[in-house]
Amino acid sequence: MADRREYEVFEVFVRKKKTDAHVHVGSLNAPSPDIALTTARENFLRRENAVNLWVVPRGEIHETPCDEGDWFARELDRKYREVSGYSENGRLWKTYRERALYLEEIVQDLHPPSQGNRPRPRRERT
Amino acid sequence: MTMEQAAQMGLESGYRQALTALLYQLADDELCLGHRDSEWLGLAPDIEGDVAFSSIAQDEVGHAVFYLERLHELGEKDPDSLAFFRGAEAWRNAVLLEQPNGDWARTILRHFLYDLFDDVRTEALLHSSYEPLAQGVAKIRREEHYHLLHLKPWLIRLARAGGDAQERMEQAVMEVWAQLGGLFSLGAEEEEMIHHGLIAWGREELYRRWEDRAKPVFAEAGLKWPGPPSVPEQDGRRGRHTDHLTELIRTMSEVAVGDPAARW
Amino acid sequence: MNQDARHAQFMERIERGEKIEATDWMPDEYRKLLLKLIHMHGVSEIMGAFPEKEWVPKAPTLKRKLAIMAKVQDEMGHGQLLLRVAEDLAAPLGKGREELLDDLLAGRVKFHNVFHMESPTWADAGVIGWLVDGAAIINQAALLDTSYAPYARVLKRICAEESFHMQHGENIILTLARGTKGQRQMLQEAVDRWWESLLFFFGPVEVTPAAQRMIDYRIRIKTNEELRQQFLNKYVPRIRSLGLTIPDPHLRYDEKQKKWLYTQPDWEKFGEIVRYNRGPKSEERIGLRRFAHEEQRWVREAMVRAHKMQAV
């Protein structure tokens, strides 16, 4: 591509909030990375807010094969690493007149929705 | 606005007159350029850039609406009437901005140089004695930031690309320079504007600050600095315009004049 | 693996409802059908910007001016999304953006009949937003579950934006419908002008062999006629509710057959318009695209050249 006379393809990634990861939203053609960034804003964020944008030359992306389902195969039981694998806790706690403790409850206690600790609505772009 | 309304707002007539003149300059600059920008819709050199440039056009028209609304609050007609039913002699935009776009090089160059000017001008308005204006420009400046960011690399690359592109950009500099000086004019009300603290700087200071920022970009683009720009024959800030503005207004109001009383 | 076995495996994936990606193996026929469809869809969005673009400078209020600018911009944005999908499909055939747009100028790719037609009044801008976009939305929404994943992804984005276009178009025509006698007449004339084009827009009633193959590959799921019926269902009552007439004395809903009966559009006339770019505005609008694509090529080349000079 050293003799490229045409634009290059850039993949576009958007971070919507500081606490979010970048998410792929599509691709565009641009003559250079800086122009790719400024055109990406209007081609992908005309109605949405964001705090950060990445553009990556298509050739710099390494991906898993798309039609090889086995790449992601996870067939046998892995409940031992999931919450659902421990449903008996509830029953066991009952014998001690207590109940199982879940993460959601802790989060809930630390961030009660009534106290306005919910994420505030984002400011409208004016 | 009647004297009565002005008195209600606590504005003495000299203040109001200077403020109105200033707001017309701001509104008409943005509306002319936004309208011209929109003529590129569907025609820009690449699709992605077409979309981006259209956002810039919308921003400019949106800013014009803001200034026109402030005028309406001061007792001028409503924004649509001001945009569609005002004769060219009542427009206060710089003549440069009513000119047809020309090619992409001239479009980019004019827009960049204007946005740079507008950045300096709105900086001078940040502490305007008219609070609604000061608050509005603070927001508008944040949007204009993107324009400079987007336009600058286009300007520099086209100028540095050599060949046809560079020639076109040099040609554009010559053409734009012939009318560029008109941007810095504040019209007949300049002294009053400064006296009332509506704007911090007059034409000379606006120009000096603009030049301080434009020159390094020209250097980076490898463009020769042509010296101070000429002041065009017609001072748009005093209501004197080229036929291009009459044409622009005629086009813009073609549907609206079909039935001025109707809702559209 | 031989071709037949690969093809059979591919069809199994399709029948399982799996989605295909650009880098997956796919039959040539699948690639070509998709490319033809998405290429046409993409250039139609870009050509579709022009009839409304004519009204951008003349929009009668500042709010309308901003809204129609945003709408035309969205059409270009949709063209961008779709062309990117088409480019990735065309890459193995040695084609990119430049070539796909060259095809348009050379008449090697068609665009929708509606965008060959005139839009002489402000009411046309409204009717395009209301009915042409309405028809396009039905078409696009029907493709949301297409078997080609990159197409499905951009369609999701496109449909979300089209919902603004629907409101935009409806607001223009509702204002005209409630307006002066002159405005109502302008609106009626625009409906008269667009009706036949709208019926043609969905394509022939019979399922052509190519359309059948697209259905086999689950590129599309509904037939042309199903979509046209859906359009009539949604829009005939609304048009009539405004006191407007539809220029088809034979149009009626048949309770027995549970479908709309209508006068057939002039298939031959519109077929020629689309095939040979012989509509009233075909040449002029292709000329506009030529201006953008060919006369502005120096800009694209300069931008690439200057970036490379800077990089070394």
Side-chain angles (χ1 to χ4, degrees):
Chain A
M1 283 301 237
D3 273 342
R4 183 172 63 86
R5 280 178 66 224
E6 295 189 6
Y7 284 15
E8 199 180 349
V9 179
F10 291 88
E11 297 292 342
V12 181
F13 300 82
V14 175
R15 168 174 282 162
K16 290 199 167 182
K17 287 187 296 181
K18 295 251 181 182
T19 49
D20 286 345
H22 282 80
V23 175
H24 181 239
V25 293
S27 61
L28 52 74
N29 296 354
S32 55
D34 55 349
I35 302 280
L37 280 172
T38 56
T39 54
R41 192 187 97 161
E42 296 315 309
N43 278 270
F44 291 99
L45 296 169
R46 289 196 293 283
R47 293 182 174 79
E48 294 155 43
N49 292 330
V51 296
N52 193 253
L53 264 177
W54 286 348
V55 292
V56 183
R58 158 78 56 91
E60 297 297 321
I61 299 221
H62 302 270
E63 66 166 344
T64 60
C66 289
D67 51 356
E68 236 177 74
D70 289 355
W71 216 93
F72 296 98
R74 232 186 265 298
E75 299 291 318
L76 301 186
D77 185 15
R78 277 180 181 74
K79 282 224 182 63
Y80 60 84
R81 71 194 317 167
E82 282 159 29
V83 171
S84 65
Y86 298 88
S87 54
E88 69 168 354
N89 287 5
R91 185 170 49 81
L92 297 174
W93 275 117
K94 247 186 207 164
T95 63
Y96 299 96
R97 296 168 188 276
E98 259 301 348
R99 45 189 185 85
L101 183 59
Y102 291 100
L103 179 71
E104 290 79 0
E105 186 181 329
I106 292 175
V107 172
Q108 185 88 15
D109 287 354
L110 294 170
H111 306 275
S114 55
Q115 288 182 12
N117 261 346
R118 256 190 293 218
R120 265 176 295 169
R122 267 169 294 162
R123 231 156 49 90
E124 289 291 312
R125 259 173 44 179
T126 45
Chain B
M1 175 162 69
T2 62
M3 293 303 289
E4 201 179 304
Q5 284 170 307
Q8 270 172 11
M9 291 186 68
L11 302 181
E12 55 130 329
S13 73
Y15 184 93
R16 182 191 170 274
Q17 201 182 343
L19 172 59
T20 308
L22 178 61
L23 286 168
Y24 273 121
Q25 293 178 15
L26 290 158
D28 295 345
D29 276 0
E30 300 274 305
L31 189 52
C32 269
L33 191 59
H35 179 90
R36 288 293 182 213
D37 287 346
S38 78
E39 293 175 350
W40 275 105
L41 264 176
L43 301 176
D46 62 67
I47 315 272
E48 282 81 353
D50 202 301
V51 173
F53 200 63
S54 174
S55 289
I56 291 180
Q58 287 166 53
D59 284 350
E60 304 297 14
V61 175
H63 299 166
V65 171
F66 168 80
Y67 296 124
L68 292 171
E69 282 170 348
R70 300 293 78 72
L71 280 162
H72 186 43
E73 281 169 4
L74 290 169
E76 299 293 295
K77 289 186 179 153
D78 65 280
D80 283 333
S81 301
L82 294 180
F84 295 93
F85 300 107
R86 200 160 35 113
E89 71 290 343
W91 286 55
R92 292 290 178 269
N93 59 286
V95 162
L96 174 70
L97 304 173
E98 70 206 30
Q99 303 308 304
N101 286 316
D103 65 7
W104 188 249
R106 199 165 109 191
T107 300
I108 293 289
L109 179 76
R110 173 173 69 173
H111 214 300
F112 178 78
L113 294 177
Y114 168 74
D115 276 344
L116 205 53
F117 161 73
D118 195 44
D119 198 50
V120 173
R121 174 171 61 179
T122 51
E123 195 185 338
L125 296 170
L126 276 175
H127 301 289
S128 174
S129 60
Y130 192 59
E131 189 63 22
L133 179 59
Q135 283 171 4
V137 296
K139 286 184 188 172
I140 286 171
R141 284 171 61 77
R142 295 189 64 195
E143 289 194 352
E144 293 280 352
H145 177 75
Y146 171 80
H147 299 192
L148 289 170
L149 207 68
H150 182 66
L151 296 168
K152 188 175 154 190
W154 283 92
L155 168 59
I156 291 174
R157 300 268 161 78
L158 290 179
R160 295 201 76 97
D164 191 15
Q166 190 180 338
E167 280 166 28
R168 282 171 182 267
M169 194 51 90
E170 284 163 359
Q171 177 68 26
V173 171
M174 271 170 46
E175 287 167 11
V176 167
W177 234 253
Q179 289 171 319
L180 186 64
L183 273 185
F184 304 93
S185 165
L186 290 174
E189 298 83 358
E190 175 170 351
E191 264 180 49
E192 285 284 291
M193 289 178 192
I194 295 169
H195 168 72
H196 289 296
L198 288 166
I199 188 164
W201 311 312
R203 62 194 303 169
E204 280 167 24
E205 181 67 7
L206 288 171
Y207 176 74
R208 199 185 59 73
R209 287 173 183 257
W210 174 86
E211 194 190 68
D212 279 353
R213 292 179 58 190
K215 266 186 172 169
V217 180
F218 268 55
E220 206 182 325
L223 288 167
K224 194 169 153 282
W225 182 255
S230 342
V231 176
E233 259 172 58
Q234 301 99 327
D235 184 0
R237 307 285 191 225
R238 290 169 199 261
R240 288 193 274 279
H241 294 278
T242 61
D243 290 342
H244 295 298
L245 181 64
T246 316
E247 181 59 38
L248 184 151
I249 297 168
R250 186 162 47 228
T251 304
M252 210 167 80
S253 57
E254 190 186 297
V255 177
V257 296
D259 189 344
R263 284 197 61 209
W264 290 97
Chain C
M1 205 186 316
N2 69 31
Q3 285 299 100
D4 286 350
R6 281 199 117 159
H7 194 274
Q9 205 177 49
F10 182 85
M11 287 315 292
E12 278 168 30
R13 290 187 66 195
I14 295 283
E15 271 143 36
R16 275 199 302 272
E18 279 184 34
K19 300 289 179 206
I20 309 303
E21 291 290 346
T23 49
D24 292 358
W25 182 89
M26 62 184 80
D28 283 345
E29 187 191 25
Y30 182 75
R31 182 184 300 279
K32 282 182 183 145
L33 285 168
L34 271 177
L35 182 55
K36 193 174 167 204
L37 175 72
I38 302 170
H39 192 186
M40 178 178 177
H41 190 175
V43 300
S44 291
E45 293 279 354
I46 287 178
M47 296 307 290
F50 291 133
E52 281 171 291
K53 176 207 153 69
E54 292 168 15
W55 293 99
V56 167
K58 304 173 183 178
T61 71
L62 290 162
K63 188 185 160 197
R64 295 276 184 238
K65 194 175 183 73
L66 283 164
I68 197 166
M69 275 158 94
K71 202 225 148 176
V72 175
Q73 178 190 36
D74 281 347
E75 306 292 2
M76 293 302 288
H78 297 170
Q80 188 274 338
L81 294 168
L82 291 159
L83 281 175
R84 278 294 318 122
V85 175
E87 285 155 35
D88 289 345
L89 279 166
L93 312 172
K95 284 179 160 191
R97 169 83 54 92
E98 295 288 327
E99 291 76 15
L100 293 182
L101 289 174
D102 289 340
D103 285 345
L104 170 65
L105 303 182
R108 287 188 295 262
V109 58
K110 296 187 283 191
F111 57 98
H112 280 306
N113 70 308
V114 281
F115 304 128
H116 294 261
M117 309 310 285
E118 286 169 309
S119 57
T121 70
W122 171 247
D124 292 82
V127 168
I128 292 174
W130 182 34
L131 299 178
V132 175
D133 276 48
I137 287 164
I138 287 173
N139 242 351
Q140 294 174 132
L143 287 161
L144 279 168
D145 200 30
T146 180
S147 60
Y148 190 55
Y151 195 28
R153 285 194 290 266
V154 301
L155 281 165
K156 222 194 271 183
R157 201 176 186 92
I158 290 170
C159 284
E161 293 187 346
E162 293 283 3
S163 61
F164 147 68
H165 298 182
M166 282 174 77
Q167 301 311 317
H168 161 80
E170 289 188 6
N171 196 255
I172 294 178
I173 63 97
L174 284 167
T175 307
L176 293 177
R178 298 160 66 84
T180 64
K181 206 174 149 214
Q183 286 175 313
R184 287 182 60 82
Q185 191 187 337
M186 189 195 273
L187 177 58
Q188 178 65 62
E189 285 168 7
V191 170
D192 292 347
R193 222 174 350 261
W194 287 94
W195 186 254
E196 197 186 5
S197 297
L198 285 162
L199 290 183
F200 179 91
F201 175 81
F202 293 95
V205 178
E206 72 276 10
V207 179
T208 62
Q212 186 55 50
R213 293 305 289 154
M214 288 212 262
I215 291 172
D216 296 342
Y217 281 122
R218 297 205 186 171
I219 291 171
R220 48 184 292 189
I221 288 113
K222 304 267 188 193
T223 65
N224 294 343
E225 187 56 24
E226 283 173 312
L227 298 176
R228 189 166 22 239
Q229 288 290 329
Q230 166 90 338
F231 173 78
L232 294 168
N233 271 332
K234 295 283 175 210
Y235 285 96
V236 172
R238 282 177 169 77
I239 296 170
R240 289 180 171 162
S241 75
L242 296 174
L244 295 167
T245 55
I246 294 171
D248 178 0
H250 304 297
L251 177 71
R252 68 180 176 89
Y253 188 74
D254 188 275
E255 288 292 346
K256 269 196 221 126
Q257 300 181 64
K258 297 261 174 259
K259 66 173 197 177
W260 289 91
L261 305 178
Y262 53 86
T263 307
Q264 295 294 311
D266 187 340
W267 294 104
E268 204 174 322
K269 177 184 82 181
F270 284 107
E272 285 211 351
I273 285 177
V274 172
R275 249 193 318 280
Y276 307 112
N277 290 328
R278 266 187 216 150
K281 285 281 185 176
S282 315
E283 218 170 293
E284 181 186 323
R285 290 187 188 138
I286 289 174
L288 290 174
R289 181 59 6 221
R290 178 167 284 118
F291 171 83
H293 187 59
E294 288 180 349
E295 289 182 42
Q296 311 305 313
R297 182 168 278 134
W298 67 271
V299 176
R300 298 193 296 277
E301 290 182 353
M303 291 303 282
V304 173
R305 198 161 66 231
H307 173 59
K308 281 200 299 200
M309 280 159 50
Q310 207 176 33
V312 288

